[in-house]
Amino acid sequence: MVNLEQIDKNRIPRHVAIIMDGNGRWAQQRGQERSFGHQAGAETVNTISETAARLGVEFLTLYAFSTENWNRPEKEVQALMQLFIESLKEEVLMKNNLRFRIIGDRERLPLDVRECIDRCEADTDKNTGMTLVLALSYSSRWELTHTMKVLAQQVQDGTIRPCDISEESVAQQLNTAFMPNPDLLIRTGGELRLSNYLLWQCAYTELYFCDTYWPDFSANDFYQAIIDYQHRERRYGKTREQIQ
Ligand code: FPP
């Protein structure tokens, strides 16, 4: 078990992004349907949100549903949509002073999910605690393509010139413009890939992979990831001497 004194309170990552993988395998290991794993995963979302907020993380971004996940069996997609509605509880967000936001192609989401999201975003907008972001119907390629269309339109309208396009102006058009880039990305479930998640934003993010399936991922596992992150040297392309 991690002793909390091992964590340097002055080096808490400002933004942690998580790929919550392994729900399906967790359920199948128990002879259950995949949706059972997603339900258990929703409980882990609560545990890890509270743990991250208590540590002082400012932004927690969870990959809940990718644009590719629309290709899953209809039954699983419907169960996930229903789970989002059931799990997004304004009173829990309010109690924990969390600000709630969504990134992704919200137009593709069913109306009842959109209404639930809109309500949670509006009601928690003035909260001052951690911002909990769900990536829903999200993928980096979707986000970047959308951004390119917006910028191309601005050029066509004559409001900007191609030479005005910079890294900053691209970042300002992304869905994630309201948040800093992730400092730490955690992927549970043993796979070693980014799966179309925050590819622009993770250019200099520290990556942490663990085998634990998301439903089993505990506060202690989260602390371990934070401690691992705190031992990394972030150089952003500079030399060690320059950093020191
Ligand atoms: C990936 O595991 C997980 C998902 C596609 C869904 C994640 C959703 C939750 C954890 C529920 C979230 C609830 C809220 C309120 C955000 P997988 O099914 O691909 O696992 P596998 O690789 O073992 O098949």
Side-chain angles (χ1 to χ4, degrees):
M1 287 293 275
V2 166
N3 175 351
L4 280 184
E5 290 186 1
Q6 289 173 261
I7 297 180
D8 179 350
K9 302 289 179 309
N10 297 313
R11 283 196 63 202
I12 300 296
R14 223 184 136 198
H15 182 181
V16 179
I18 306 186
I19 301 178
M20 310 181 286
D21 198 17
N23 293 347
R25 282 165 287 163
W26 183 90
Q28 281 160 347
Q29 267 186 355
R30 287 159 178 76
Q32 301 278 352
E33 289 202 24
R34 298 174 52 80
S35 307
F36 183 67
H38 296 317
Q39 278 170 18
E43 310 248 329
T44 308
V45 167
N46 290 334
T47 311
I48 298 304
S49 301
E50 283 177 22
T51 305
R54 240 183 291 121
L55 264 190
V57 171
E58 290 176 47
F59 293 84
L60 180 69
T61 304
L62 305 176
Y63 207 4
F65 195 85
S66 71
T67 52
E68 288 79 15
N69 288 152
W70 289 115
N71 300 321
R72 289 199 173 189
E74 178 65 21
K75 193 171 156 211
E76 183 172 343
V77 172
Q78 276 184 6
L80 271 168
M81 293 299 145
Q82 192 53 38
L83 182 61
F84 296 140
I85 294 175
E86 284 165 13
S87 312
L88 287 176
K89 297 224 173 6
E90 280 152 278
E91 53 285 12
V92 177
L93 295 167
M94 294 307 281
K95 188 187 83 183
N96 291 302
N97 192 22
L98 299 178
R99 211 155 62 102
F100 178 77
R101 298 291 295 264
I102 286 289
I103 54 171
D105 186 2
R106 59 175 80 208
E107 300 303 315
R108 268 184 97 172
L109 295 166
L111 185 62
D112 50 357
V113 176
R114 258 186 286 160
E115 283 173 352
C116 173
I117 286 166
D118 290 347
R119 213 172 34 247
C120 288
E121 283 184 328
D123 291 353
T124 64
D125 191 44
K126 298 274 181 309
N127 286 353
T128 53
M130 185 183 78
T131 302
L132 174 64
V133 184
L134 286 192
L136 262 188
S137 190
Y138 174 87
S139 75
S140 276
R141 288 182 179 180
W142 165 80
E143 181 186 40
L144 289 166
T145 306
H146 176 74
T147 296
M148 286 176 207
K149 284 185 192 159
V150 171
L151 292 170
Q153 189 64 52
Q154 290 177 354
V155 170
Q156 193 177 41
D157 295 346
T159 52
I160 60 167
R161 295 164 302 166
C163 64
D164 294 328
I165 297 175
S166 62
E167 287 191 16
E168 289 71 28
S169 69
V170 172
Q172 275 165 18
Q173 290 299 337
L174 295 173
N175 249 217
T176 52
F178 63 92
M179 53 158 104
N181 290 327
D183 299 295
L184 170 66
L185 181 140
I186 300 171
R187 181 174 187 141
T188 65
E191 310 289 359
L192 306 180
R193 54 177 171 256
L194 292 179
S195 300
N196 217 346
Y197 190 43
L198 300 173
L199 300 182
W200 170 283
Q201 297 84 347
C202 284
Y204 276 101
T205 298
E206 298 299 325
L207 307 180
Y208 180 88
F209 298 96
C210 67
D211 289 335
T212 311
Y213 293 150
W214 177 250
D216 286 334
F217 190 75
S218 63
N220 194 61
D221 293 321
F222 186 76
Y223 295 143
Q224 239 144 22
I226 299 290
I227 290 169
D228 194 278
Y229 163 83
Q230 293 188 333
H231 286 97
R232 310 276 181 98
E233 181 182 63
R234 303 189 73 189
R235 293 198 293 273
Y236 301 96
K238 294 185 180 169
T239 66
R240 169 170 285 180
E241 290 70 30
Q242 284 175 301
I243 297 300
Q244 284 166 351

